[in-house]
Amino acid sequence: NEEACRTTAAYAYAFHRPYKGRFKILLAGAGDGEQQEVASVSYRAWRPASGANTRSKAAQKVGKEEEQEEAGKETHYQPGGRGDFDIQLASQAPGVWVDRAVPKGRASAAGAGAGEKKKDKDGGQGEGESEEEDVDERTFLQKKFHIFECVTRELSGMKASLTTVADVKVDYTLKYEQEKNIQHCIFITTKEDRYCWASIAMEGLEIFVSDVKKGTSSTDLKRFLAPLLKPFSILVFEVRIHRLKSEAAKTTATLTTHKAIEGDNFLRRYAKLRVPLRELQFNGFQLAFRRSKFEPNELLVRVLRREEKELILEGYDPSGVEIPFTHGDSPHREYLVSSVACGNWEYIGPQPHYRPYYETSVDATATFGDRCFVINYSTDRGADDQSFEALNYTSLEVQQCESSVVLYEVQFQYSSLTSIVIDPKADPSIICTVSEGPKIWANRIRCIGLQGLPIEVSTSCQVYRLRLANAADISNLLYLERTKAFPQCTILRVKDVYFDLPFVDQIRKLKQEMEASRHNLSFAVKFQVQKLAQNGYLPPRVVMTLIDYISLTQTRSGPATTVAALRRLFQQLPYAGPSTKAGDLDTRAIVDLLNSNIGRVTEEYEYQSAEKSSSVMTIYKADVTPTGIFLTGPDPESSNRVLRKYADHSDHFLRVTFTDEDGEVFYFDRFKSNRVVFHERFAHILRDGIEVGGRLYEFLGFSHSSLRAQTCWFLAPFSSLDQYVNADLIISNLGDFSHIQCPAKCAARIGQAFTETSSSIPLESGCVEEVDDVERNGRVFSDGATQKSSLLPATVFQIRYAGAKGMISLDDRLHGDVLRLRPSMIKYRGAKDSKIEICGVASKMLPLVLNRQLIKILEDLGVPNGVFEDLQASAIEELRMSVSSITNAASFLEKHDVGLATQTTWLLRKMGSLGLALSDDMFFRDLLDAVVLVQLQQLKHRSRIPVKEGATLYGIMDETGVLAEGEVFCTYVDGQGRLNHAKGPVVVARSPALHPGDIQIAVAVTVPEDCPLVALHNCIVFSSKGSRDLPSQLAGGDLDGDLYHVIWDPKLIPPRPHRPASYPRVPPLDVGRPIARQDMSDFFVQFMEQDQLGRVATQHQILADQYERGTLHKDCIKLAELHSTAVDFSKTGIPIAEDQLPRSCHVATQYRPDFMAPGRRVKVEKHGIIFEATAIDMLENDNPRRVGQPRRKRYYESNKILGILYRSIDERAFFQDLHERSAVIKDDNKPSAGVLADLWEYIKDETVGLEWYRYVGAALGMREMYEAEVYDIILQYSTHPTEHLEEIEVFIGNIICRSGGYRSKRQKEYTTAMKEKYDRGVSLLIASMRMRHEGDSVRAGEEEEEEEEEEKQEYETLRQSMAC
């Protein structure tokens, strides 16, 4: 490497003054990996070729500087005094990092040494490789040099040459092609004449701005500075105003740019001016500029560089883009508001009228941003104590508000607006119809409604009116339509209408009418009727006019048909407002719709009766938000032990979800308080219950998974077998919990009975026996695992039985029906249920997919970046190949569980055998595009990289003792049905993994053929020997149902494994008495308020990227421990305290790595996927039109592997390439009229003489059933009131993320539920076709032989299919 060192220069950290601290420097080893001993280190400072004086006292102390006689001449140096450095040598293969290759004709190369500020004592390594371009030293760029703890910088356009002297001293000659600002050098000499040279180059610059008028916003200052900086090519920059406490009229600010040289040129022009300059006059003062005493924030510099790069890549011309926005738009965006009202649209004659049920006078300002509008007003606490109390603040919250003024903020998201009406009367107003309630804060404390607004009104009345204080503002209102997300406005003069009966009394009267004995409405019907009014579909007075008709329909057609007709009505009712005719919502029109629905759903529900199953039950639901209670369902869902026991009373169970107004769960927010929502609103519901259909539902319990989803079960008492069943009786019948004195733990144990299970199998009590746990060194090796005989068909199960939970595995040494339980499995006793409930079955091997956490740890443990890049490239190529042929497409859809219920993969293979092409059919092209997009988003935005040489398996313990310490037995059945066993070193891990020791290496072995382990399939068996069990080393795992990642790919085995974590057990909170239901509901509220699991995981991911040591850094180790505590919070009741978090969590996480950034916005349209530009979002951070939104998260380019993987995928470019390839899918080049036409010709040829015409009427009914099901799914699972799902999303069972890869919890839950509902509906439709003809043949009384009957039935089904 000596040749390379003599012709290169390297770059390190940037600072414009000599650094007084310590450096860490790595010198690349010799080619053989031998380390070189450092003989000397010297430091010197010099001035750039421009002649500017950069000499400093610190530089004079540690080095010598020779004066440059003439600008532009070569500068010579002699080794100076000793510096204060840490020197370390690398034994790895040499390598160097550069951000990108040097443009041809500019810089020559980068060298093999680097310096860095010593921020902490932790070290780490990284490597990278430059791109290959035509540069002067191409031979060097192809070589590799290691850099120690250094983020390398973009090459600066400098050409360097090095000349050796006879002595060990080296003379450097630097020649500039253009003026640069490199000010400090580090010189290293080795005893073996190996040379390295590092320059400390300026990167980024912070400029101090003084004489700024106090009260100036950063946005206004940014707009003013933009034209001043533009001539210096500074187009993206950051401005921050200093909030000084003094009473002076002026303040200061800082300007940060990522372009140090250009910033220096700006200072040469404007710094230290002695005369007034008009162009610097701002708000009555002349701004003054000078170089800041502080270095620019490195992460901010990287953020600015990325933002400019993204703008250019998206095709934007930064010089033509108005980067900052100002309050100059305020006449069109801010309006004075004199009153706020909440009510409904009512129709008097043909025109809609506004009926306000609540109105309050305010002195407010309505500010319209890009994504929402916000109403701000204030009240004096002393003069308005009563209204302040109306917000239900606790005394503690009041004390937290130091100000005597209460500042209110009412926020409406544009995504919730269904219509906007501008009323241009003398007192003009804006009338907004919303699909969700507003979010309201008072002094940054979340409220549960406007002052004095009854909860019944805020739930059902979704039309808000803002009366403007200034009539002249009406002329500017239409300007709002220029906002992209803002709905189209309608200009209409609206009259008010008033009814004698207040809204609350209307709701009360409606409930009384439903309970009237003359109607005799079933609960299922009353639920839908209450839903009509309570969810705001129709005003209560209109619903009351329908009750007589609904009662008559129930009598004639039955409750099931009536419910189906009402549920379809929800899809058909339009939003009331100016775009809806009065006749569409009058009683007669609604009755006509119900009549039409009844005829359509009668047949549908006849066949749905065949779907009943003990594993699936119809569940009623309610969503509780801060401002309302909304009824949903009923929908089929997986059942649990309690529901199966009371299957005949399933409608007495209500699944209640506590959410924000937009349907998302509440997240911990350290800047705003949600205490009022949790302890006043939600706690009130949990304590007092929910009234639905004449029943009062009370809190019952929750499972562990539903706790994190903020969902629980409520129960309305009922009588069963002459027994009064309420919540207390159900809990007491589950088992004995009197010994548990921790609310969280008691709730978790009771929650076992609410875990969703697919089936239950009766088991005689005599078959169960208890055996001891395997314990050693205070650790339970058999925690949650035991054996069974062959009483169940598969070999490995996850079960619930009575008060026990865990894994059971086949042991062929046991005879008869035997189930063994261990003390670690038995969580409580006294359970009377004797059925084995199946939670999971190891029926097949689950694929192994890497995630960000695993990739980051493997990187920190020494796995080369190239391994992950190759895996991702292989996955991307597989996506490309998915459209290369019909066979590949069928296999691809099958692999991702798409179209199995509709038998689409069979159809594709049949099409392939007929020579048909996918490119001939728009639906199949859209289908493949949608599935490929989902998988591509998983790769780019979640780093979900599949690993073929790996598997995800249930873990159990070796009951035979044949495995030694550190050994595992890994058995799995591959995709071809072959039984395989992993052999040799394997990586074993468990998700989530945050600690570097959460990934361990074990040795996979085979066992003798007569060993009982041979009979097991699809599991990993851990040894029962050693000082510590392996599962507990993997993120605190156990064997009660945990899934483990097993990798036998040798390239992914880390060379430097880390010792496992060992966290002390957190003792659960003990209240010193038996637990009551109230204690558990209180804990439910506490968990919603204090759960920080997601926050800790996110901060860990950010810091692991920013620290050179990654997950090995002490702050990341601390966060991994806190994450373990947060995981156990649901069982211990001990939350994370704010002061436990490392200080870096509050400082360093304001900037995030780019792989956490949202990607391109995606529009799913009828015929294709459109990627929208996202870079313009970067211009919005200081935009006042971002009202009501948190400060935009900002992102820098990560140099770690996750950033490299993220940037290597361009979704838009991928699909452009994919569509070019898809043009060659055809198996032949024959002309085609389309897939459907070709298939129909084939079917007609194969079925000559088969009469199918008489089935067309029934086929149309089938089609209507299918389309009604799809439309119902689209409306139910769309997360936007006006942007509905596309049919293709329903078909593939996946909601495509439109926000660029990020999918919220709500979207994930909706995706799962939507797929289950669609597959269920399709399976029912197919089954109904066969049931129809089976029934017809029986009614015809035909008595043919069984085979002839089956053949006839098949022909009947074929005719039905052809008609369809």
Side-chain angles (χ1 to χ4, degrees), residues 960-981:
T960 66
V962 69
L963 298 178
E965 181 180 5
E967 291 182 341
V968 296
F969 176 65
C970 181
T971 172
Y972 62 96
V973 178
D974 61 22
Q976 286 71 42
R978 297 188 298 263
L979 182 64
N980 294 276
H981 304 105

Side-chain angles (χ1 to χ4, degrees), residues 607-767:
Y607 296 118
Q608 284 193 0
S609 62
E611 192 191 14
K612 291 181 179 178
S613 167
S614 61
S615 62
V616 177
M617 291 189 176
T618 302
I619 305 300
Y620 290 85
K621 306 173 186 176
D623 293 335
V624 179
T625 72
T627 63
I629 301 176
F630 303 93
L631 306 179
T632 61
D635 295 308
E637 289 194 3
S638 298
S639 63
N640 55 52
R641 182 186 306 177
V642 176
L643 289 177
R644 277 192 291 269
K645 183 174 181 179
Y646 300 104
D648 294 337
H649 301 276
S650 61
D651 59 357
H652 285 75
F653 294 86
L654 185 69
R655 188 169 183 172
V656 180
T657 302
F658 295 85
T659 73
D660 207 340
E661 303 297 344
D662 55 6
E664 296 295 340
V665 298
F666 274 90
Y667 294 99
F668 178 86
D669 189 344
R670 68 188 183 97
F671 298 108
K672 292 185 177 180
S673 171
N674 292 318
R675 180 179 176 84
V676 172
V677 173
F678 290 132
H679 292 274
E680 296 294 333
R681 172 71 172 146
F682 291 170
H684 170 77
I685 297 294
L686 289 163
R687 181 178 62 251
D688 297 340
I690 300 174
E691 184 180 349
V692 182
R695 298 174 180 174
L696 181 62
Y697 287 83
E698 300 173 330
F699 172 76
L700 176 61
F702 49 85
S703 67
H704 182 264
S705 59
S706 69
L707 173 64
R708 296 202 176 276
Q710 299 181 1
T711 299
C712 59
W713 288 99
F714 277 44
L715 172 75
F718 58 89
S719 296
S720 176
L721 301 176
D722 298 328
Q723 188 178 33
Y724 180 74
V725 179
N726 59 11
D728 292 331
L729 179 67
I730 288 179
I731 292 175
S732 64
N733 287 341
L734 291 177
D736 180 15
F737 306 100
S738 59
H739 63 289
I740 304 176
Q741 299 185 347
C742 172
K745 189 174 182 179
C746 184
R749 299 298 176 243
I750 294 174
Q752 290 178 211
F754 295 102
T755 300
E756 294 182 357
T757 50
S758 59
S759 60
S760 60
I761 302 171
L763 183 66
E764 296 182 6
S765 58
C767 300

Side-chain angles (χ1 to χ4, degrees), residues 60 157 207 345 362 411 443 469 518 622 802 859 903 1011 1092 1175 1227 1243 1287 1321 1364:
Q60 297 174 28
I207 298 173
W345 289 109
V362 293
Q411 180 187 129
N443 287 359
R518 69 179 186 277
E859 176 194 27
Q903 304 178 29
C1011 179
Q1092 299 189 59
D1227 295 333
I1243 292 171
E1287 182 183 358
C1364 288

Side-chain angles (χ1 to χ4, degrees), residues 213-238:
K213 184 178 180 181
K214 200 167 186 179
T216 300
S217 70
S218 59
T219 301
D220 291 340
L221 181 58
K222 194 172 184 181
R223 182 185 179 101
F224 175 81
L225 293 174
L228 295 177
L229 295 166
K230 185 176 178 180
F232 299 92
S233 299
I234 299 176
L235 305 167
V236 177
F237 56 94
E238 179 78 357

